[in-house]
């Protein structure tokens, strides 16, 4: 006998059935799908079909505050739909729908990366909480969640082992504590989202003892990395590249005592202080990259005690002293880069012997005396400066081991006048602030004076565009501006940001000039053009 879908679904509906009063709601569309194709299903399976249908109808060609701006050429009811939707909301078994995997008859995985999901991600996914182990929404930039109501469903997904929503518009002030309820979680990617401009709460990680993989890159945080992350007993992969820590002095001391760390990449993130000597106790560490990070002081010889280390990139910092001879004990080392620092002396013979004749080291980079300005005597180096090592323009590649990588993001052409990205940090009378927080009337530093913002040519955090990211010597923050934005260089002239090269001396907001040490093409969120008096 056929069941009564309305009665069954009202019993589990998140708004007690009131959502079905609107015939155009995504819940009503999901209900009609059930009535048409799945009215005879057992209640438990009917609920699973309903949850999936809610995801489809809530995110297939649906508008939100970001699509309203980015896709203004489309009517709100005529947006592009999912990239691939084979078998969804048809008579086919849910286990054959694109991106869906089942354990028996129950949904265990939802994998929809780079599938052009728009709209707001629906909390009805929580109706799958008893069986869902993987939720992969990576690279659906125009997929939105907002605040408490938009994110609290996460706390109910207690069987999740993998949660990937990097490069989406999931929005919260910092990292939500709801993540802390996912005690079975093994991998999480929250990079390049709007989980930003707030704290990294310790409660979000206290009970995540099974976690092996964290990607929290390309965000702005307003607290230090908590010890709860450092103490995770199984954490092997940690990516914190291109992060701004606002209002705090973040050092690398959080690395001390990490029990299982295998790979740690943090390029283009500014840290205070030096490489801690306690890094020499990270016996599991295999791959470490901290380039363009503002590190100072000597390289600890203790790092030479790491038995598994085979990749070390510390180029383009302010490291001083000599390269430790103890690095010659790193018998697994393949990639070793020191260029772009203030190091001196010879490359130790103990390292050269691992390069020639043993050829264990495939790449060895330093500022060789054979090149202008070089300070390291290194006859065994494979490259002898940042430019020759091709390491001025970019750091180590973004992690690709997890989740499944996808490449396409809709990027707009920046109109004339768009200047700075949303990652830009501006000096104000009350201290450094993200450009997106500025308002008309705020006083911002220009040269040696503070000027008042009287208008904005453009002010939105909704769009994504191409920018040029510029790193200058002595600055803890990158400049990110449109390619055609003119920037003053020493000598009284100006040139487009995209034509800058390493070694150019550019004008600073606080006055004076500084050397460009990195020029990098990036894609970033936010478009801002403040006008000052």
């Amino acid at each position: 006998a056929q069941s009564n879908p309305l009665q069954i679904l009202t019993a589990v509906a998140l708004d007690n059935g009131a959502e079905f009063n609107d015939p155009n709601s995504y819940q009503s569309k999901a209900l009609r799908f059930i009535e048409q194709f799945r009215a005879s299903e057992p209640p438990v399976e009917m609920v699973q079909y309903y949850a999936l249908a809610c995801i489809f109808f809530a995110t297939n060609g649906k508008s939100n505050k970001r699509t309203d701006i980015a896709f203004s050429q489309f009517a709100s009811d005529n947006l592009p739909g999912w990239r691939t939707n084979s078998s969804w909301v048809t008579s086919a078994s849910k286990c054959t729908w694109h991106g869906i995997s089942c354990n028996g008859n129950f949904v265990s995985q939802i994998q929809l990366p780079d599938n052009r999901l728009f709209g707001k991600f629906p909390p009805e996914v929580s109706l799958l909480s008893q069986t869902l182990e993987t939720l992969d929404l990576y690279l659906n930039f125009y997929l939105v969640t907002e605040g408490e109501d938009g994110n609290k469903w996460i706390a109910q997904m207690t069987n999740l082992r993998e949660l990937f929503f990097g490069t989406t518009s999931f929005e919260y002030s910092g990292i939500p504590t709801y993540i802390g309820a996912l005690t079975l979680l093994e991998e999480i990617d929250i990079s390049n989202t709007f989980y930003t401009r707030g704290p990294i709460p310790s409660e979000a990680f206290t009970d995540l003892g099974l976690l092996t993989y964290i990607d929290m890159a390309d965000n702005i945080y307003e607290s230090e990395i908590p010890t709860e992350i450092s103490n995770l007993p199984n954490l092997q992969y940690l990516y914190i590249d291109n992060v701004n820590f606002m209002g705090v002095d973040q050092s690398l001391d959080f690395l001390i005592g990490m029990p299982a760390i295998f790979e740690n990449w943090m390029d283009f993130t500014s840290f205070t202080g030096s490489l801690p000597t306690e890094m020499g106790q990270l016996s599991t560490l295999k791959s470490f990259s901290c380039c363009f990070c503002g590190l100072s002081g000597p390289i600890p010889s203790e790092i030479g005690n790491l038995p598994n280390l085979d990749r070390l990139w510390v180029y383009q910092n302010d490291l001083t002293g000599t390269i430790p001879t103890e690095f010659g004990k790193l018998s697994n080392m393949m990639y070793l880069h020191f260029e772009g620092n203030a190091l001196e002396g010879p490359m130790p013979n103990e390292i050269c012997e691992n390069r020639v004749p043993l050829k264990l080291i495939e790449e060895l980079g330093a500022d060789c005396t054979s090149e202008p300005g070089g300070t390291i005597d290194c006859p065994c180096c494979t490259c002898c400066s940042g430019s020759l090592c091709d390491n001025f323009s970019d750091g180590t590649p973004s992690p690709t081991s997890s989740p499944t990588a996808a490449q396409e993001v809709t990027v707009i052409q920046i109109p004339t006048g768009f200047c700075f990205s949303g990652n830009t940090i501006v000096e104000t009378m009350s201290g450094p602030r993200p450009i997106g927080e500025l308002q008309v009337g705020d006083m911002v530093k220009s040269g040696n004076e503070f000027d008042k913002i009287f208008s904005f040519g453009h002010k939105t955090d909704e769009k994504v565009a191409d920018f040029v990211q510029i790193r200058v010597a002595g600055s803890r923050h990158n400049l990110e501006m449109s390619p055609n934005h003119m920037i003053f260089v020493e000598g009284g002239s100006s040139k487009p940001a995209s034509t800058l090269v390493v070694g150019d001396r550019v004008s600073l907001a606080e006055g004076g000039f500084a050397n460009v040490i990195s020029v990098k093409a990036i894609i970033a969120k936010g478009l801002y053009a403040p006008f000052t008096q």
Side-chain angles (χ1 to χ4, degrees), residues 9-10 12-21 27 50 123-124:
L9 296 178
T10 297
V12 299
L14 303 187
D15 201 17
N16 300 312
E19 53 266 66
F20 301 131
N21 293 334
Q27 298 97 332
Y50 170 72
E124 281 80 6

Side-chain angles (χ1 to χ4, degrees), residues 192-193 196-197 217-220 240-245 267-270 292 393-394 414 417-426 433-436 458 460-461 463-472 475-487 496-498 500 506-509 516 518-530:
N192 196 31
T193 63
T196 191
R197 296 178 184 172
D218 296 287
N219 284 324
I220 300 173
I240 319 177
D241 39 299
N242 199 33
V243 164
N244 277 322
F245 289 101
D267 299 343
F268 298 98
T269 296
S270 292
F292 298 92
S393 61
D394 205 350
I414 302 179
F418 278 171
C419 290
F420 300 103
S421 83
N423 296 326
T424 303
I425 305 300
V426 179
R433 291 171 59 190
I435 195 170
H458 305 282
T460 175
D461 63 358
K463 292 187 177 181
V464 179
D466 291 309
F467 289 93
V468 176
Q469 184 186 80
I470 303 164
R471 182 79 181 259
V472 298
S475 175
R476 293 187 59 198
H477 301 295
N478 299 325
L479 303 173
E480 295 182 2
M481 58 188 64
S482 53
N484 293 324
H485 183 70
M486 302 301 290
I487 188 166
S498 60
L500 290 174
V506 297
S507 176
L508 301 177
V516 173
S518 167
V519 182
K520 179 183 180 184
I522 65 168
I523 295 173
K525 296 174 290 191
L527 299 167
Y528 297 91

Side-chain angles (χ1 to χ4, degrees), residues 440-456:
V440 171
D442 285 343
M443 302 293 289
V444 297
K445 197 167 189 179
S446 176
N448 294 319
E449 299 179 350
F450 286 92
D451 294 328
K452 182 182 291 187
I453 296 175
F454 70 89
S455 180
F456 283 87

Side-chain angles (χ1 to χ4, degrees), residues 368-383:
C368 308
T369 53
S370 60
E371 294 296 319
T375 55
I376 303 291
D377 181 13
C378 186
C380 61
C381 280
T382 60
C383 55

Side-chain angles (χ1 to χ4, degrees), residues 154-425:
I154 293 173
Q156 300 177 52
M157 310 303 293
T158 52
N159 283 294
L160 278 181
R161 297 183 182 274
E162 298 173 316
L163 178 59
F164 305 137
F165 48 84
T167 314
T168 66
S169 289
F170 277 35
E171 183 177 326
Y172 198 83
S173 179
I175 297 176
T177 57
Y178 301 126
I179 290 171
L182 310 183
T183 57
L184 297 180
L185 199 63
E186 298 174 6
E187 300 187 12
I188 185 169
D189 179 0
I190 53 175
S191 63
N192 196 31
T193 63
F194 288 87
Y195 277 13
T196 191
R197 296 178 184 172
I200 308 172
S202 58
E203 308 95 295
F205 297 95
T206 301
D207 297 321
L208 303 189
L210 298 180
L211 205 57
T212 65
Y213 177 102
I214 300 175
D215 189 348
M216 51 191 295
D218 296 287
N219 284 324
I220 300 173
Y221 301 115
E222 296 180 354
S223 70
E224 294 183 70
I225 297 169
T227 56
E228 285 73 11
I229 289 181
S230 305
N231 294 337
L232 289 170
N234 293 294
L235 184 61
Q236 299 177 48
Y237 300 91
L238 178 60
Y239 304 105
I240 319 177
D241 39 299
N242 199 33
V243 164
N244 277 322
F245 289 101
M246 285 293 300
V248 296
D249 292 328
Q250 176 67 61
S251 72
L252 291 183
D253 287 350
F254 71 91
L255 293 172
I256 297 173
M258 295 188 77
I261 191 65
F262 180 86
E263 183 165 85
N264 179 213
W265 293 352
M266 301 179 288
D267 299 343
F268 298 98
T269 296
S270 292
F271 295 98
T272 60
S274 57
L275 294 163
T277 59
E278 292 87 348
M279 280 185 64
Q281 300 170 15
L282 302 177
S283 60
T284 59
L285 186 62
K286 185 177 179 69
S287 175
F288 180 82
S289 186
C290 197
C291 307
F292 298 92
C293 291
L295 299 176
S296 59
I299 300 174
S301 61
E302 289 84 354
I303 295 176
N305 297 327
L306 298 178
N308 297 308
L309 190 65
D310 67 8
R311 293 168 173 83
L312 179 70
W313 297 273
V314 289
Y315 57 79
Q316 298 304 317
N317 284 292
D318 298 310
L319 300 172
T320 56
T322 59
I323 297 171
T325 60
E326 287 81 357
F327 276 38
K329 297 186 297 183
L330 298 171
S331 59
N332 292 310
M333 183 58 67
M334 295 188 296
Y335 304 95
L336 186 57
H337 284 274
F338 300 107
E339 60 272 15
N341 285 287
L343 299 167
E344 298 178 328
M347 182 66 67
N349 287 332
E350 291 85 348
I351 295 177
C352 283
E353 288 172 358
N354 285 335
R355 167 66 192 151
V356 180
L358 297 179
K359 300 186 184 300
L360 298 176
I361 298 177
E362 297 181 18
E363 292 183 10
L364 177 60
D367 296 316
C368 308
T369 53
S370 60
E371 294 296 319
T375 55
I376 303 291
D377 181 13
C378 186
C380 61
C381 280
T382 60
C383 55
C384 284
S385 68
S387 57
L388 293 175
C389 296
D390 196 27
N391 284 333
F392 270 127
S393 61
D394 205 350
T396 50
S398 298
T400 57
S401 57
S402 181
T404 303
Q407 301 301 321
E408 186 176 336
V409 176
T410 301
V411 181
I412 68 166
Q413 181 70 35
I414 302 179
T416 301
F418 278 171
C419 290
F420 300 103
S421 83
N423 296 326
T424 303
I425 305 300

